[in-house]
Amino acid sequence: MLKHQQVNLNMGRDYISAIVAAKEAFSSGKTKDVKFRKQQLQKLFKCVRDNEAGWCEALKKDLNKSTTEAVSAEIILVNNEIVTAIKNLDQWVKNEPKKKELATITADVYIRKEPFGTCLIMSAWNYPFLLMLAPMVGAIAAGNCVVIKPSECAVHTAKLFQELLPQYIDPTCYPVIVLDAKDSADLVTNNRFDFIFFTGGTAIGRIVMRAAAEYLTPVVLELGGKNPCFVDDSCDIRSAARRICWGRFLNTGQLCLCPDYVLCAQSVRDKFVEEIKLALKEFYGSDPKQSPDYGRIINERQTLRLKKVIESGAGKIVVGGEVDVKERYVAPTVVTDIPADSAYMQQEMFGPILLVVTVKDMDEAIAVVNSREKPLAMYIFAKNKKLVKKIVSSTSSGGVTVNDVVMHYVPHSLPFGGVGESGMGAYHGKYTFDTFSHRRSCLVDGNPEFFNSLRYPPHSQKKLSIIRLVLMKNMQTPGFVAFLQSLVGLALLGVLIESCATVCVILNQNV
């Protein structure tokens, strides 16, 4: 029987003083030094690599994750985030020169990347290693201090964060605090941070955003939602079923990116369900409960929630449906004939339950998706390129993957984040660095004082005419003509300046 062990997490141990110390550390300017940031990232890299077995063991105890899944879906992704940041940090931190306007032609115009200050990162329990460290890498790279708040639900992983991180990275700049639900709410409502990054459910996301609004603190909310999956009859049904099966039951369905419900025509449904059954047997055997590759629900409370949905009587269970609360086991479950107002369709499943919704055609499927809140992800299986383009252009989601699932999360070149109720803000690779950086607009003026005579009073119609000619852009003016106008304007400006200078010389001579 798989049980959580009793683990001492030092819950709430003097976290106020840790926050104060982190703020003082940032004020000292310590984390603004790029060399220091690189050193900390290198030490974090060593923490990840030196303790891979320990991280895998903690994830096994918390979620029954196999070593392969822990390494491929969490550790490697964090490893690569760190390597990307270290290799590119010198380039990322450089001032970014920007295009000049004619009025600032002699000025130095650029964007400076600056840290926000002391940031709070609150991670979720479903991927407790990845969702804590991936945003943290960008926060460190950007020069912030970070208050690290892992989920208390993933007790073994949280305990390892408490034990290991202070041994590798600066514990004052990057303190680890673990709190229960009540103290977590107090953390965001009673303390002021310069930036908050939250990964979790929509309900808690609203609490975080309300608390942030008190101080106008910028936030990133990585939430979730019911992710639709279009399966068109033009696709390879077997391939689609295998990929959807993998994505839906990955981490026992406890993934915000999981395909939540499939939309397909009646002519596709039965074949699709049969292929899902075959894929399940291939992946997890005839008894998934005994499979070393099939995980467990995080705790009994979440298991009971899923049990209640399954036992609601809505829909037709065609695969699975078994629940063992004490073992935190929910079998891979597939449900068809689902009423629109059923419990299945009123919440994100966040568990190993795949819903198959029958529609007349893909137009009806689009209407179903658009009648709901915007999802974090959307999946389309179709060989018909026109259909794919139509679905993408007619809907909205945080991200989209065509002919696969989940994989748009992987490339560092793509930002990951939600839209609407599925979240706000994005991260991954340089996008994480940008998220945790304030882009400060800078202009260093190079104009001699006489060059500014046009904007100083006393004003005149002649000055205004030159200002219009030099500065006002026109939609219909071709680029070359606009360039000539600028030259004429500069010439007139020069004449005006020269006239002013001549007057000044004459006045000085008379004096």
Side-chain angles (χ1 to χ4, degrees):
M1 182 182 295
L2 183 68
K3 292 183 177 179
H4 277 307
Q5 299 175 10
Q6 293 297 318
V7 178
N8 178 17
L9 285 175
N10 297 321
M11 301 281 273
R13 180 172 56 85
D14 199 19
Y15 73 85
I16 297 297
S17 62
I19 295 172
V20 172
K23 291 182 176 182
E24 291 175 351
F26 181 77
S27 296
S28 73
K30 188 177 185 179
T31 60
K32 293 183 178 181
D33 181 5
V34 175
K35 183 179 178 180
F36 174 82
R37 303 183 207 179
K38 283 186 176 180
Q39 289 173 343
Q40 295 302 303
L41 290 172
Q42 288 162 350
K43 290 178 180 179
L44 184 60
F45 178 80
K46 185 172 175 57
C47 179
V48 171
R49 296 293 285 267
D50 287 355
N51 301 283
E52 181 178 302
W55 296 118
C56 289
E57 182 183 0
L59 293 168
K60 179 71 173 179
K61 290 177 179 177
D62 284 331
L63 292 151
N64 199 40
K65 283 192 181 183
S66 68
T67 299
T68 298
E69 188 175 331
V71 172
S72 61
E74 299 214 45
I75 293 173
I76 286 178
L77 294 178
V78 170
N79 177 93
N80 293 352
E81 287 281 352
I82 299 172
V83 171
T84 299
I86 291 173
K87 287 186 174 181
N88 294 282
L89 188 55
D90 288 333
Q91 187 63 36
W92 291 352
V93 299
K94 286 182 179 179
N95 291 340
E96 186 179 326
K98 305 306 292 184
K99 183 179 178 181
K100 300 175 183 180
E101 301 291 338
L102 191 58
T104 59
I105 196 69
T106 62
D108 191 8
V109 180
Y110 61 93
I111 293 174
R112 172 182 167 86
K113 289 74 172 282
E114 296 185 345
F116 281 102
T118 302
C119 305
L120 170 65
I121 300 180
M122 306 174 73
S123 74
W125 48 258
N126 56 326
Y127 281 80
F129 179 82
L130 171 66
L131 298 180
M132 184 74 260
L133 294 187
M136 181 178 155
V137 169
I140 293 174
N144 299 281
C145 283
V146 184
V147 175
I148 303 161
K149 196 277 175 191
S151 172
E152 74 282 3
C153 293
V155 292
H156 298 89
T157 308
K159 178 65 174 176
L160 210 54
F161 277 130
Q162 283 187 321
E163 291 177 356
L164 292 180
L165 287 186
Q167 297 178 34
Y168 288 86
I169 59 177
D170 191 310
T172 303
C173 296
Y174 316 110
V176 181
I177 59 175
V178 182
L179 307 171
D180 58 22
K182 181 184 180 302
D183 285 339
S184 294
D186 292 342
L187 174 67
V188 294
T189 55
N190 297 333
N191 296 278
R192 183 172 185 174
F193 295 94
D194 298 301
F195 194 96
I196 299 175
F197 190 108
F198 170 79
T199 303
T202 302
I204 305 301
R206 286 192 173 95
I207 294 173
V208 171
M209 193 166 183
R210 280 196 293 268
E214 178 69 23
Y215 299 107
L216 299 180
T217 301
V219 298
V220 166
L221 301 177
E222 295 292 342
L223 307 176
K226 292 186 76 67
N227 303 318
C229 184
F230 297 82
V231 178
D232 182 57
D233 59 9
S234 67
C235 77
D236 181 332
I237 302 298
R238 180 176 181 271
S239 175
R242 288 167 62 81
R243 297 178 187 199
I244 292 168
C245 183
W246 169 78
R248 173 67 272 185
F249 303 111
L250 181 68
N251 198 35
T252 328
Q254 298 166 112
L255 171 61
C256 58
L257 283 170
C258 279
D260 193 286
Y261 63 104
V262 169
L263 295 155
C264 63
Q266 182 71 42
S267 60
V268 171
R269 190 191 72 177
D270 291 344
K271 184 179 180 182
F272 174 78
V273 170
E274 287 306 311
E275 291 292 348
I276 285 284
K277 290 178 181 179
L278 293 173
L280 281 171
K281 188 171 183 179
E282 178 187 346
F283 294 172
Y284 305 114
S286 57
D287 184 4
K289 193 173 185 180
Q290 305 305 319
S291 170
D293 299 316
Y294 190 72
R296 293 297 183 268
I297 305 305
I298 186 68
N299 53 37
E300 288 192 3
R301 183 172 68 85
Q302 292 295 330
T303 310
L304 286 169
R305 175 185 65 83
L306 293 167
K307 183 175 186 287
K308 183 178 179 181
V309 174
I310 291 173
E311 295 178 349
S312 65
K316 179 183 178 182
I317 297 174
V318 294
V319 178
E322 300 84 13
V323 179
D324 184 334
V325 177
K326 289 184 178 180
E327 288 277 354
R328 298 184 282 123
Y329 171 78
V330 177
T333 300
V334 180
V335 186
T336 62
D337 302 329
I338 305 154
D341 60 351
S342 68
Y344 287 114
M345 298 303 292
Q346 300 309 308
Q347 59 181 294
E348 179 183 1
M349 287 295 92
F350 219 71
I353 303 172
L354 178 64
L355 312 177
V356 182
V357 177
T358 305
V359 292
K360 180 179 63 176
D361 53 30
M362 288 296 106
D363 285 333
E364 183 182 352
I366 291 171
V368 170
V369 171
N370 287 338
S371 69
R372 309 183 63 84
E373 296 290 347
K374 295 178 181 179
L376 179 61
M378 182 179 296
Y379 305 112
I380 306 167
F381 286 85
K383 292 180 180 178
N384 185 333
K385 293 182 179 180
K386 288 185 178 180
L387 176 62
V388 171
K389 185 176 180 180
K390 178 180 180 179
I391 293 173
V392 172
S393 63
S394 301
T395 58
S396 178
S397 64
V400 61
T401 293
V402 179
N403 293 325
D404 207 342
V405 297
V406 179
M407 296 306 293
H408 66 279
Y409 182 90
V410 177
H412 289 159
S413 57
L414 291 178
F416 173 74
V419 59
E421 288 232 343
S422 60
M424 61 181 68
Y427 71 118
H428 276 186
K430 185 177 183 294
Y431 297 102
T432 317
F433 174 85
D434 291 340
T435 286
F436 283 98
S437 298
H438 167 57
R439 293 171 63 82
R440 190 177 186 184
S441 298
C442 299
L443 184 147
V444 180
D445 184 62
N447 288 341
E449 179 55 27
F450 65 79
F451 196 75
N452 297 319
S453 59
L454 280 178
R455 58 184 165 114
Y456 295 154
H459 301 302
S460 67
Q461 189 59 45
K462 182 178 180 181
K463 283 186 177 182
L464 181 58
S465 297
I466 295 175
I467 289 172
R468 285 182 181 277
L469 183 61
V470 174
L471 300 182
M472 185 172 286
K473 296 178 180 180
N474 193 317
M475 291 289 292
Q476 285 74 41
T477 306
F480 181 68
V481 175
F483 176 70
L484 290 178
Q485 281 184 330
S486 298
L487 290 180
V488 172
L490 283 173
L492 291 174
L493 179 61
V495 170
L496 179 63
I497 292 170
E498 185 178 353
S499 299
C500 292
T502 301
V503 170
C504 289
V505 169
I506 294 172
L507 290 175
N508 287 333
Q509 288 176 347
N510 290 337
V511 172

